[in-house]
Amino acid sequence: MTVTDTDQHHDTHEGESHGLSDMGYVKIAVFLAVVTAIEVALSYTQDQLGAAFLPLLLILMGIKFFCVILYFMHLKFDSKLFGLMFYIGMFLAIGCYGVFLLSMHFFSS
Amino acid sequence: MADTAVAPATGHDAHDDHGAHHTSTGLSNNKLAMWMFLGSECLLFGGLISTYMLYRGRHSENLGPDQVWDIPFTSASSFVLLMSSLTMVLAVSSAHRKDDRNTKVWLMVTALLGALFVAGQVYEFTTFYREGLGFTTSLFSSSFYTLTGFHGVHVTVGIIMLTSLVGMIGKNRVPGDKAETVELFGLYWHFVDVVWILIFTLVYLIPA
Amino acid sequence: MAIIERPTDTPAVVSPDAAPAVATPATSYGVFRRPVETTGWKSWLFTIDHKKLGIMYGVVAMAFFVIGGIEALLIRLQLAGPDGTVLSADAYNQMFTMHATTMVFLFVMPMAAAFANYMVPLQIGARDVAFPRINAFGFWTFLFGGLFLNTSWILGGAADGGWFMYAPNSSVAFSPTNGVDFWALGLQITGIASLTGAINLIVTVINMRAPGMSLMKVPIFTWMIMVVQFLLLFAIPVITVALFLLMFQRSFDATFFSVEAGADPLLWQHLFWIFGHPEVYIIVLPAFGIVSEVLPVFSKKPLFGYPLVVFSGAAIGFVGWGVWAHHMFASGLGPISVAVFSVATMAIAIPTGVKIINWVMTMWGGKLKFTVPMLYAVGVIVQFTIGGLSGVTHSVAPSDTQQTDTYYIVAHFHYVIFGGAVLGLFSGLYYWWPKMFGKMLNERMGRWNFWLTIIGMNLTFGPMHVLGLQGQPRRMYRWTENRAGEGFFNIGFWNLIASIGSFVLALGVLMFFVNIYVSHRKGTQKAPLDPWDARSLEWITTSPPKEHNFDRTPTVGHLDEFFHRKYEDRGEGDHHDYHQVATAEEIVAEEEAKGDSHIHLPSPSYWPILLSLALPIMAYGVIYNIWLIAGGAALALLSMYGWGMEPHTAPDDDYDPPAAGTELEVAAHG
């Protein structure tokens, strides 16, 4: 937790040093929409996909998740400390609830 | 969540004595607080999602997830919420350019898209209810309504905040750094969107 | 000499590019006016000063301590002899549920919050916390939540399902009064208080440290508080989920925990303990922090292995997330889960042991001075170690299966909570009393206080080990003579001892209140500035501190900054030879002389208390009338608008008399 990005932070009011350009955001949004469309399409072809269906869907979900977190929420450009706060919560949630569901035999049924 | 901070510790001699410039880490108090709040929210929605996962198979024969879901409809409303994230980020971007007019416009569009999403959710709930899926019908329905209801409340609170923010920008009554305030609301809004990304895949697309 | 200026809301004459995005509202009108009182009841009701809030946290926590204590005494009276008739079975159930709930959520946690609020900004050289109004909101929310919870006593009966409120006891069929509803909603409200407090204090420690104070120069108490706040930040939402599900179950007919409806009662147990185990460390780590402050001062040595104490505290916090299911060994988790959680639980003894060793090594070779705070700190080491050892016996799952739901468990957690947390908090009270109130607590009375407490607690909780191993179940409202057993293991004898002990303990606590009276009588001396020869930053200011804490923001060069300003090291190399070069009076006088001339503090505010007030109104609405929810929500919304739109400070002419100052300066915004 060292001092980070102080310099970068000083002039964030001056415009677009902070993250992508508007066009960049639009591109990300189009990408997200496409991924969502693929997800929906996959859900209609799950019988053909078989065992690959679930991991595929989860990977696409993860891609969307991190696109929003990293670009729309600026985590990629912001101080690591902000990310730390969020990721601790995220990993505790995945860890604790994962173990909880595991102990309830959720994944084996 | 925004609050006015007292003079931070490093003195006050500079006249541009505001915001993040002289906190110990150089980071804004408000933004740090918002990220912590979102980290905390991960465990809230994690708990609700887990509860749903545990109970999604516990329902009567013909009123389970695979029977009631209307994937095309939900896909459309998911798309709406996803696009509201884009308009939100454009609002933040305008705010950083000190472009009040566009900030207000994009915030308003975001709020409208959010309202459209909530309207879709109300419609969806009503349809399910007509099909016989009440809140207490089964463990599946209780946990489904609780999870999506919590998310809906988050969106609704977001809409109220967005419209209030538009009003405050209009009257020039935003305390503190305006761009940062818009950014904070943006973080909240994107988080709500992220949660829906999870819900859409885990709850709707993956069959029980 | 520092002057607190009349704050002005006029934006300063600054160049346009210096503060471009700040638009301080130029007017404040009508309801948006900020209160300005600095004396009288209004100055307390609307205060956002962390010190006043800290004191109020302490006072309220102490009041709940007394309430919880009376509940405990009633329990012990009931169990003192065979076939107790003091309480009915129903009243007994309410008594132990509310005793635990009160002590955990309304005494130990807020008492720690009291110290955290008061001391953390002082220890890091800040003028206040990062979000003063949210701080005030946290206090009032805690207070109203606690009061709401306790109104259940007069509204049909309190919660009676035990403090962890397992299904099916929590369902309407087994608990038909509104007690459990009050419990669920009340804890929800105090949870909001804890969550906001957590965010506030973490931001404060990360962002508001005095210049020069790197994270490894932060006083150990503040470090432990920060770990606790992280635990709260991530644990509170878990209990929030559980309590919401319980509320939906009881008030809106959902069946989340009803086995007959196909639900899994383990869902509640998992959610509760995912929160509940970090909660254990939330309770005890602040006391560890206090002990780690007090021991070095009265051993005249720096804390042994400060980085180790910091990291073991953080490690306890982290591992604390992976052991929750050890509370559920008897619930049929399956052998693999039990084995995993058993090993994880044993692992947590390691960082705890590290701390104990560091404390002992701090005292080793020191010039020990057994003042009352030191006595309490040493008391923690001894008593907590006993509790820790019985805790290790629980981590062995087969042994735990024998002990589950017996008095052995009760003995264990009272040694940990009373012997660890409460003794630590008392150590803090004695240690920081002169700082907070400018008067020393009487040492002689303090010794009575300490020894009666220690004897009382061991008499009360010690016999419970025997009772538990003899098989006396907890929560059993009466026992009979003909099944009490023979000789040394006769539970009648040990129950009587425990009951007598509880009254000794109560007498000990009473001594504390007597001590406050004795120490604050007319004619008692004002406390010296530095009565203990202390080491950390909170002592580089007056006692009690001024509203703005420090006349000049201290610059920090050492971990024990105050000590290093008082003493100079004239030793060579590894040999230290400290000589006093300044007194506390001289240091504080110097700070005053070089004080900042312009200090802006934000004005008090009406909105935190109003926003808090909306929460119990909504909670009553859930129980009694749905329209009350709407009313409460309206108040909440109104308060948030007021909050969001009020100016940073009251305008000049709200003060009486109007300020004469013409100095214009931008108040800090964040």
Side-chain angles (χ1 to χ4, degrees):
Chain A
M1 279 186 249
T2 47
V3 179
T4 41
D5 294 354
T6 318
D7 293 331
Q8 188 206 321
H9 254 266
H10 265 261
D11 291 314
T12 46
H13 308 302
E14 304 306 320
E16 281 309 275
S17 68
H18 197 71
L20 302 175
S21 64
D22 284 2
M23 203 52 217
Y25 289 129
V26 173
K27 280 180 190 158
I28 299 270
V30 170
F31 176 69
L32 286 171
V34 171
V35 174
T36 308
I38 296 174
E39 275 192 312
V40 176
L42 284 181
S43 80
Y44 281 98
T45 55
Q46 51 182 292
D47 294 338
Q48 290 92 314
L49 287 164
F53 170 69
L54 197 59
L56 260 177
L57 219 55
L58 290 178
I59 288 168
L60 290 177
M61 177 185 86
I63 291 172
K64 282 164 71 185
F65 182 91
F66 281 105
C67 267
V68 177
I69 299 283
L70 292 177
Y71 294 99
F72 283 0
M73 294 169 90
H74 292 170
L75 218 44
K76 192 171 177 346
F77 317 104
D78 255 346
S79 163
K80 289 198 171 55
L81 198 54
F82 295 141
L84 186 71
M85 296 299 151
F86 184 74
Y87 290 132
I88 295 176
M90 194 182 91
F91 283 115
L92 279 179
I94 294 172
C96 286
Y97 294 126
V99 170
F100 152 61
L101 287 174
L102 194 67
S103 81
M104 304 292 269
H105 308 290
F106 171 76
F107 299 108
S108 50
S109 62
Chain B
M1 276 300 133
D3 195 5
T4 344
V6 292
T10 45
H12 58 282
D13 38 342
H15 267 273
D16 56 342
D17 210 23
H18 70 279
H21 288 232
H22 50 200
T23 57
S24 311
T25 54
L27 303 174
S28 145
N29 284 345
N30 293 332
K31 233 167 124 179
L32 195 56
M34 180 53 90
W35 274 110
M36 274 177 216
F37 172 69
L38 298 182
S40 171
E41 289 263 283
C42 285
L43 281 115
L44 182 94
F45 280 105
L48 292 168
I49 291 174
S50 312
T51 304
Y52 172 79
M53 285 297 159
L54 190 64
Y55 285 158
R56 63 179 180 174
R58 305 190 188 181
H59 51 78
S60 57
E61 277 300 293
N62 51 355
L63 277 176
D66 299 338
Q67 287 86 46
V68 296
W69 290 166
D70 180 358
I71 297 294
F73 179 82
T74 313
S75 305
S77 68
S78 302
F79 179 75
V80 168
L81 195 62
L82 205 54
M83 286 308 111
S84 79
S85 252
L86 172 64
T87 54
M88 186 72 230
V89 88
L90 293 177
V92 175
S93 170
S94 311
H96 277 298
R97 284 193 301 262
K98 296 184 216 87
D99 180 351
D100 271 6
R101 210 182 67 87
N102 275 321
T103 307
K104 279 189 290 183
V105 169
W106 286 122
L107 286 177
M108 244 7 253
V109 175
T110 309
L112 281 174
L113 288 173
L116 195 58
F117 173 82
V118 173
Q121 197 167 39
V122 171
Y123 172 77
E124 185 192 37
F125 282 9
T126 326
T127 316
F128 289 169
Y129 185 74
R130 292 227 182 90
E131 288 169 18
L133 194 75
F135 179 65
T136 57
T137 307
S138 60
L139 282 167
F140 153 68
S141 73
S142 304
S143 52
F144 168 74
Y145 283 123
T146 306
L147 168 60
T148 47
F150 257 88
H151 180 266
V153 167
H154 273 76
V155 179
T156 312
V157 168
I159 296 168
I160 296 172
M161 293 198 303
L162 285 172
T163 40
S164 309
L165 186 59
V166 171
M168 284 164 80
I169 293 175
K171 298 236 184 267
N172 205 19
R173 288 198 66 103
V174 181
D177 185 334
K178 205 186 294 174
E180 189 190 89
T181 309
V182 177
E183 200 182 331
L184 289 176
F185 284 94
L187 287 178
Y188 173 84
W189 190 264
H190 293 310
F191 177 77
V192 172
D193 184 32
V194 157
V195 171
W196 188 257
I197 288 177
L198 301 184
I199 292 177
F200 181 58
T201 308
L202 294 176
V203 173
Y204 286 90
L205 293 185
I206 295 176
Chain C
M1 200 42 210
I3 301 152
I4 300 199
E5 291 204 332
R6 286 290 158 66
T8 160
D9 64 342
T10 321
V13 191
V14 287
S15 53
D17 56 313
V22 177
T24 312
T27 51
S28 73
Y29 35 80
V31 292
F32 298 133
R33 189 166 285 159
R34 287 185 84 137
V36 293
E37 287 81 2
T38 52
T39 52
W41 59 274
K42 280 186 182 170
S43 73
W44 290 88
L45 225 48
F46 306 126
T47 187
I48 53 169
D49 179 358
H50 72 100
K51 297 180 289 301
K52 281 185 171 163
L53 290 166
I55 290 171
M56 287 196 286
Y57 261 115
V59 170
V60 174
M62 270 297 168
F64 281 124
F65 184 40
V66 171
I67 294 172
I70 291 170
E71 286 157 2
L73 290 180
L74 286 171
I75 293 171
R76 280 322 311 172
L77 270 181
Q78 166 79 5
L79 294 179
D83 307 314
T85 51
V86 180
L87 298 169
S88 68
D90 181 34
Y92 185 84
N93 289 347
Q94 296 176 34
M95 219 48 86
F96 68 68
T97 304
M98 290 300 282
H99 163 67
T101 306
T102 305
M103 287 306 193
V104 169
F105 293 99
L106 307 181
F107 167 55
V108 177
M109 283 169 70
M111 199 66 212
F115 285 123
N117 261 295
Y118 201 102
M119 289 304 158
V120 164
L122 286 168
Q123 284 205 321
I124 61 172
R127 294 236 150 88
D128 205 323
V129 291
F131 306 105
R133 286 184 298 173
I134 291 180
N135 202 20
F137 168 76
F139 165 72
W140 292 110
T141 304
F142 148 65
L143 173 61
F144 293 147
L147 291 177
F148 171 82
L149 186 56
N150 274 283
T151 54
S152 60
W153 287 111
I154 51 170
L155 292 171
D160 55 2
W163 89 279
F164 40 79
M165 208 57 76
Y166 276 4
N169 284 344
S170 61
S171 63
V172 179
F174 296 96
S175 186
T177 69
N178 282 326
V180 178
D181 301 314
F182 276 100
W183 183 86
L185 292 158
L187 292 192
Q188 198 77 277
I189 296 174
T190 56
I192 294 171
S194 300
L195 188 68
T196 54
I199 293 178
N200 204 345
L201 283 170
I202 298 172
V203 175
T204 305
V205 179
I206 290 182
N207 261 357
M208 312 273 289
R209 280 165 288 137
M213 184 180 276
S214 61
L215 279 175
M216 291 318 275
K217 287 186 187 129
V218 169
I220 189 72
F221 173 71
T222 297
W223 249 116
M224 289 305 110
I225 288 297
M226 181 148 91
V227 174
V228 167
Q229 304 309 319
F230 269 108
L231 289 173
L232 279 170
L233 178 69
F234 297 120
I236 292 289
V238 185
I239 190 75
T240 302
V241 173
L243 292 171
F244 267 119
L245 297 183
L246 182 60
M247 182 186 95
F248 288 139
Q249 161 124 3
R250 289 186 57 96
S251 300
F252 303 106
D253 300 325
T255 52
F256 290 113
F257 310 116
S258 310
V259 183
E260 65 274 18
D264 211 320
L266 284 189
L267 171 64
W268 171 269
Q269 299 194 15
H270 274 291
L271 290 177
F272 187 87
W273 289 117
I274 290 176
F275 152 79
H277 201 78
E279 171 72 17
V280 172
Y281 300 107
I282 290 166
I283 289 172
V284 85
L285 280 177
F288 282 8
I290 294 171
V291 170
S292 309
E293 289 285 346
V294 168
L295 284 174
V297 170
F298 297 105
S299 306
K300 292 245 171 278
K301 277 175 69 190
L303 181 64
F304 182 85
Y306 164 86
L308 269 180
V309 180
V310 169
F311 287 126
S312 63
I316 290 174
F318 187 74
V319 184
W321 282 93
V323 298
W324 77 85
H326 68 213
H327 298 268
M328 302 161 59
F329 280 159
S331 67
L333 280 176
I336 297 171
S337 301
V338 167
V340 169
F341 279 102
S342 186
V343 172
T345 305
M346 290 174 196
I348 214 162
I350 296 168
T352 321
V354 167
K355 275 195 144 55
I356 305 264
I357 288 179
N358 276 294
W359 292 336
V360 175
M361 293 301 281
T362 303
M363 292 170 67
W364 182 260
K367 297 194 191 91
L368 303 186
K369 219 175 137 196
F370 284 99
T371 59
V372 178
M374 181 66 163
L375 285 175
Y376 272 107
V378 176
V380 170
I381 301 182
V382 175
Q383 303 292 320
F384 181 81
T385 304
I386 298 175
L389 290 176
S390 60
V392 174
T393 69
H394 297 151
S395 72
V396 183
S399 149
D400 183 72
T401 318
Q402 282 294 311
Q403 295 152 359
T404 296
D405 278 338
T406 70
Y407 260 83
Y408 190 83
I409 300 283
V410 182
H412 160 69
F413 68 66
H414 278 98
Y415 266 92
V416 173
I417 296 179
F418 202 97
V422 180
L423 291 185
L425 292 171
F426 269 94
S427 175
L429 281 169
Y430 276 90
Y431 177 63
W432 278 315
W433 197 272
K435 175 89 293 192
M436 293 167 82
F437 300 104
K439 297 259 181 150
M440 302 284 287
L441 283 175
N442 186 298
E443 280 282 306
R444 223 169 68 88
M445 288 298 299
R447 275 160 211 280
W448 277 102
N449 181 186
F450 171 75
W451 286 110
L452 283 171
T453 306
I454 285 290
I455 293 168
M457 83 156 275
N458 283 295
L459 279 181
T460 312
F461 307 125
M464 290 180 183
H465 291 107
V466 182
L467 290 172
L469 292 177
Q470 284 307 300
Q472 178 173 331
R474 68 196 281 198
R475 297 170 176 169
M476 182 185 70
Y477 93 109
R478 87 185 1 172
W479 51 273
T480 53
E481 187 62 59
N482 52 10
R483 304 184 71 180
E486 298 290 321
F488 181 75
F489 294 113
N490 177 287
I491 66 165
F493 171 71
W494 292 112
N495 269 309
L496 184 63
I497 296 287
S499 295
I500 293 171
S502 68
F503 280 87
V504 178
L505 181 53
L507 193 64
V509 174
L510 185 67
M511 284 297 145
F512 177 71
F513 296 105
V514 176
N515 198 354
I516 296 177
Y517 171 76
V518 169
S519 308
H520 283 265
R521 274 178 316 192
K522 258 192 196 148
T524 46
Q525 291 280 311
K526 201 176 169 336
L529 261 188
D530 182 22
W532 314 118
D533 196 10
R535 312 175 72 87
S536 44
L537 217 53
E538 75 268 27
W539 299 94
I540 310 189
T541 181
T542 49
S543 300
K546 297 164 188 168
E547 199 187 347
H548 54 282
N549 290 355
F550 300 97
D551 286 331
R552 177 174 69 158
T553 298
T555 308
V556 177
H558 299 89
L559 170 59
D560 290 325
E561 176 67 18
F562 186 44
F563 175 83
H564 285 280
R565 289 200 193 182
K566 286 186 293 186
Y567 296 93
E568 190 182 70
D569 187 4
R570 293 184 189 148
E572 305 262 321
D574 280 346
H575 176 71
H576 296 290
D577 183 18
Y578 286 105
H579 292 269
Q580 184 154 26
V581 289
T583 63
E585 283 76 9
E586 288 164 2
I587 293 169
V588 173
E590 191 195 339
E591 293 293 313
E592 281 192 353
K594 293 182 180 163
D596 298 332
S597 48
H598 317 294
I599 298 167
H600 287 302
L601 292 174
S603 301
S605 174
Y606 299 117
W607 305 111
I609 186 171
L610 280 174
L611 184 55
S612 307
L613 198 57
L615 296 172
I617 294 177
M618 285 194 270
Y620 281 118
V622 171
I623 296 176
Y624 293 111
N625 187 330
I626 207 97
W627 291 106
L628 264 180
I629 303 180
L635 176 61
L637 199 63
L638 178 78
S639 311
M640 284 188 210
Y641 277 118
W643 184 310
M645 293 170 71
E646 72 180 349
H648 181 58
T649 47
D652 252 4
D653 47 12
D654 278 8
Y655 287 87
D656 184 40
T662 50
E663 181 83 32
L664 294 179
E665 203 169 337
V666 179
H669 288 276

